[in-house]
Amino acid sequence: MVKSLPARSAVPVEETWDLSSLISSSPDFNQQLEDLEQQAEAINEKFQGTIIDTESITQVLTAYMRFMEKMVLLSTHANLTASTDQTNDEAQLQASKFGATAAKIGSQLSFITSELLALPTETLEQAMEESTEFRVFLKKLLRKKPYQLHPEAEKSLAAYSSTFSAPYGLYNTTKMSDIDFEDFEVNGQKYPLSYGSFEGDWEAETNTELRRAAFDAFSKKLKEYQQTTAKTYDMQLQTEKTTADLRGYDSIFDYLLFNQEVDRTLYDRQIDLITTELAPHMRKYAKLLQKVHGLDRMTFADLKISLDPSYEPEITVAESKQYIDDALSIMGPDYLEMVDRSYSERWIDFAQNKGKSTGAFCSSPYGDHPYILISWTGRMNEVFVLAHELGHAGHFYHAHQEQNIFNGRPSLYFIEAPSTMNEMLVANHLLKNSADPKFKRWVISSIVARTYYHNFVTHLLEAAYQRKVYERIDAGQSVNAGILNSIKRGVLEDFWGDTVEINDGAELTWMRQPHYYMGLYPYTYSAGLTISTQVSKRILKEGQPAVDEWLEVLKAGGTKNPVELAQMAGVDITSEQPLRDTIAYIGELIDELVNLTEEIEAD
């Protein structure tokens, strides 16, 4: 039964992450922040107006690189501390203080980019030839030359950076601090409700009456905050539109896709093909859920239930490690050592507590190890969630060993490939080790419900909704709660057809997702999973040679664009074939679920 969440202070320390390698104490944080300000001033005084040739380019970039290595550790500490408890005033004030200082620093150091881009292209190209360390950084910088503003304008924009990121902070404050869910009642008994308990437990609750009542109560409370949340989101959208226009991009899409290093065709293809061609497969899956559970009707509130709840074993944190070790052993001893350290050195925050950010994420600061946030409920499917986040950790763990801070992070388009790859490896390992039909059905349904539903359906429908929103914004319009609800409901109805009843409250799903404050992020989940599905098939078929190639991809970090990284792994994403193959594979998995269910029910 779902319990009320404890305060952060009441959580056992062994369930929390250890942030001491980032920073040791709050006074130390303030001192380090002050030191950073002074170092930024020193860089400004020493280098502003001096960047004139290849030698001075190397000198200023070396100083800037060392500075950023220090700054990212402090930034990570501020963000991670705030993410574990949105009700902690001290942590929130610390994060705000860092944001304000970072904006001031960004303004002081904006001259670096401005002066570099003011140089003749030939000088920058010569610097790229002479310095392998900064070659990729300068190559990416050159792409921005057509969109660079006057140095004073760049300085002003940088000074406002914390203001521009304010909508995301406001969204989190509304979501995690202001919204207070009351208990909901079913048949005279009260049950506790929170963001974490709804998304971690009630959505998958097997008792239909409880599950639907939780959905209704959750939606009713969300609705009270829809106008504020919509206004916050519109602030984000208008800021992005203004920036795109100021910099001279043809559209807001071109602006948001620029740093992803992919063009609009790859973005649109991902949304259009999945929306049309995956829908029939997922409708078949929804009908299977309805049949197995004997539901009177299939509603949006029923889509997250397990196909076989009786085969959803409880699992402890300690037990999860053995599953993950066994599944990821194919990646080699260095990779497994990282996994072992993540448990033994407390890189992972497992605790459930009030005010903690929902979902799961991995933060990988350069110069330190990765950190993973997850709220562990003990469900077996969380092995997949943890493996996913360890995929991000393994990616940056390898990339940061090989690359400098400028080259470590690849395009957002590619970022979800290593994470979803680990989910596929877990699934393949589990399938290989049992012939029992019930266990096979549980594993395959976990792949469909967790890996593919979450990444190919949930995030893809977010992307389809997001594209419609941005089309409005690009046309000079704005949005409010009514418009957002209408767009979201339309996207859901188009995908699910008459198979799933889009009940009241489903249209408010847009309020739950922080990804909308991160540009065109949601569609990249399916893009990454398309790549990892194809590579995991190669690993199953070819073994070690395919693994070795994948490890080289991880080490490459951001030195190549998404098309080149996928090519390194043997996947051609310039064609639609990998996506079509992946959609067909999902269809095969669902067909196998239908067959296994018939086999089990016939016994």
Side-chain angles (χ1 to χ4, degrees):
M1 187 55 64
V2 178
K3 298 176 182 176
S4 295
L5 295 178
R8 181 71 178 180
S9 57
V11 168
V13 69
E14 61 270 17
E15 294 181 11
T16 66
W17 50 27
D18 177 8
L19 303 182
S20 61
S21 60
L22 289 168
I23 192 170
S24 56
S25 66
S26 182
D28 192 26
F29 175 90
N30 292 328
Q31 184 59 56
Q32 287 193 40
L33 195 55
E34 198 175 306
D35 291 346
L36 274 180
E37 282 192 83
Q38 292 172 0
Q39 290 168 34
E41 286 174 14
I43 292 173
N44 183 290
E45 289 172 10
K46 182 176 181 180
F47 292 105
Q48 187 167 17
T50 70
I51 308 174
I52 55 174
D53 53 22
T54 57
E55 184 181 354
S56 55
I57 289 172
T58 301
Q59 287 175 348
V60 72
L61 287 181
T62 301
Y64 184 45
M65 180 173 68
R66 300 293 173 235
F67 176 83
M68 290 303 298
E69 288 171 0
K70 295 173 185 174
M71 187 163 171
V72 76
L73 297 178
L74 214 55
S75 168
T76 303
H77 181 273
N79 290 329
L80 296 188
T81 305
S83 69
T84 53
D85 189 0
Q86 296 281 341
T87 67
N88 183 329
D89 288 343
E90 184 182 349
Q92 301 311 312
L93 288 171
Q94 185 172 272
S96 296
K97 184 176 181 180
F98 179 85
T101 304
K104 183 179 176 182
I105 288 171
S107 182
Q108 281 184 318
L109 300 184
S110 66
F111 78 90
I112 298 174
T113 300
S114 293
E115 290 190 21
L116 285 170
L117 288 178
L119 293 172
T121 300
E122 297 75 27
T123 305
L124 292 173
E125 289 173 344
Q126 186 183 345
M128 288 164 61
E129 287 298 314
E130 294 179 8
S131 172
T132 55
E133 182 147 42
F134 301 123
R135 184 175 296 158
V136 175
F137 176 87
L138 291 169
K139 181 181 178 184
K140 291 182 178 181
L141 193 66
L142 265 174
R143 286 184 66 230
K144 294 182 178 178
K145 201 173 175 87
Y147 309 107
Q148 186 74 1
L149 302 175
H150 186 278
E152 287 303 314
E154 293 291 347
K155 186 176 180 180
S156 298
L157 285 174
Y160 274 105
S161 62
S162 63
T163 306
F164 295 154
S165 63
Y168 181 48
L170 181 56
Y171 165 78
N172 275 325
T173 300
T174 305
K175 177 178 176 179
M176 302 310 301
S177 298
D178 282 350
I179 299 182
D180 186 18
F181 293 93
E182 297 93 1
D183 294 349
F184 67 97
E185 190 173 314
V186 175
N187 296 326
Q189 185 171 347
K190 290 188 174 182
Y191 300 91
L193 184 64
S194 67
Y195 244 109
S197 68
F198 178 75
E199 295 187 344
D201 291 291
W202 291 123
E203 270 194 311
E205 168 62 45
T206 54
N207 182 310
T208 300
E209 191 175 7
L210 277 180
R211 181 179 64 254
R212 290 178 180 173
F215 180 87
D216 290 342
F218 184 76
S219 300
K220 183 181 177 184
K221 179 56 70 172
L222 281 188
K223 195 167 188 175
E224 293 175 15
Y225 293 83
Q226 62 176 332
Q227 304 297 344
T228 300
T229 308
K231 192 65 178 175
T232 303
Y233 183 32
D234 191 54
M235 286 164 53
Q236 172 77 19
L237 297 167
Q238 299 303 334
T239 300
E240 289 170 338
K241 171 62 174 168
T242 301
T243 306
D245 290 346
L246 271 178
R247 293 197 175 279
Y249 287 91
D250 290 338
S251 74
I252 197 168
F253 293 98
D254 293 314
Y255 163 60
L256 294 170
L257 288 170
F258 182 84
N259 285 335
Q260 292 187 22
E261 300 177 273
V262 293
D263 61 36
R264 180 81 184 265
T265 56
L266 268 69
Y267 166 75
D268 285 330
R269 177 208 295 156
Q270 208 70 23
I271 297 172
D272 293 339
L273 266 182
I274 297 175
T275 301
T276 53
E277 299 196 10
L278 183 62
H281 298 306
M282 293 311 300
R283 291 173 189 177
K284 182 186 288 189
Y285 174 68
K287 285 177 180 174
L288 179 63
L289 282 177
Q290 182 180 3
K291 174 174 173 280
V292 168
H293 285 269
L295 299 177
D296 56 335
R297 66 196 199 284
M298 190 68 190
T299 77
F300 184 80
D302 303 317
L303 286 167
K304 294 291 182 74
I305 53 178
S306 171
L307 187 60
D308 185 358
S310 66
Y311 221 97
E312 180 76 60
E314 292 279 314
I315 185 167
T316 65
V317 166
E319 290 167 341
S320 72
K321 183 176 178 299
Q322 190 59 55
Y323 277 99
I324 288 173
D325 278 351
D326 291 346
L328 302 185
S329 61
I330 193 169
M331 295 293 285
D334 287 348
Y335 202 99
L336 275 194
E337 183 195 3
M338 179 214 69
V339 173
D340 292 344
R341 287 182 63 198
S342 72
Y343 281 84
S344 63
E345 297 177 16
R346 288 173 47 214
W347 298 3
I348 308 170
D349 199 90
F350 291 102
Q352 290 193 74
N353 60 264
K354 289 177 184 172
K356 184 174 178 178
S357 292
T358 58
F361 68 73
C362 176
S363 178
S364 300
Y366 193 89
D368 195 23
H369 58 72
Y371 294 87
I372 292 170
L373 179 141
I374 184 173
S375 294
W376 193 263
T377 63
R379 281 199 168 94
M380 181 69 179
N381 75 335
E382 282 174 348
V383 171
F384 286 91
V385 182
L386 190 51
H388 177 104
E389 300 307 333
L390 283 165
H392 287 306
H395 188 185
F396 291 105
Y397 184 81
H398 284 79
H400 289 171
Q401 287 178 335
E402 302 290 328
Q403 309 297 337
N404 65 34
I405 193 170
F406 295 143
N407 297 351
R409 191 173 184 82
S411 156
L412 198 61
Y413 185 94
F414 193 83
I415 215 81
E416 294 299 338
S419 52
T420 51
M421 164 63 87
N422 277 13
E423 293 189 53
M424 298 305 297
L425 293 177
V426 169
N428 291 339
H429 169 73
L430 292 173
L431 283 173
K432 192 172 65 176
N433 285 282
S434 178
D436 174 41
K438 274 204 158 192
F439 184 75
K440 279 186 74 175
R441 183 173 72 165
W442 176 80
V443 174
I444 294 170
S445 67
S446 293
I447 307 171
V448 172
R450 184 17 256 176
T451 303
Y452 285 110
Y453 186 103
H454 188 66
N455 298 306
F456 246 77
V457 181
T458 299
H459 290 318
L460 197 281
L461 293 181
E462 288 167 1
Y465 151 86
Q466 191 182 39
R467 182 169 63 176
K468 289 178 182 292
V469 170
Y470 276 122
E471 284 168 352
R472 279 187 63 89
I473 301 302
D474 218 30
Q477 298 173 298
S478 59
V479 294
N480 58 29
I483 290 166
L484 296 174
N485 290 341
S486 176
I487 292 173
K488 188 63 182 178
R489 175 172 285 278
V491 166
L492 293 173
E493 288 174 344
D494 286 348
F495 187 83
W496 291 109
D498 57 8
T499 304
V500 177
E501 178 188 318
I502 308 302
N503 42 324
D504 287 345
E507 73 282 357
L508 298 169
T509 309
W510 63 268
M511 292 178 64
R512 295 163 52 186
Q513 186 51 268
H515 290 161
Y516 301 137
Y517 297 84
M518 304 172 190
L520 297 177
Y521 185 21
Y523 92 101
T524 65
Y525 279 86
S526 63
L529 187 50
T530 299
I531 296 166
S532 61
T533 298
Q534 301 308 311
V535 178
S536 67
K537 284 183 174 183
R538 280 194 64 209
I539 288 175
L540 272 179
K541 186 178 178 182
E542 301 170 29
Q544 199 59 48
V547 171
D548 291 343
E549 284 183 17
W550 184 242
L551 288 171
E552 289 304 309
V553 172
L554 301 186
K555 292 174 184 176
T559 57
K560 297 181 183 297
N561 67 38
V563 170
E564 293 166 337
L565 288 170
Q567 282 173 340
M568 284 178 70
V571 183
D572 179 13
I573 59 172
T574 62
S575 81
E576 61 183 34
Q577 199 56 47
L579 180 54
R580 289 190 178 279
D581 289 348
T582 301
I583 292 170
Y585 175 64
I586 298 170
E588 290 166 12
L589 290 175
I590 291 169
D591 287 342
E592 192 165 355
L593 284 180
V594 173
N595 294 335
L596 283 167
T597 299
E598 290 173 354
E599 181 185 336
I600 290 163
E601 290 177 348
D603 285 347

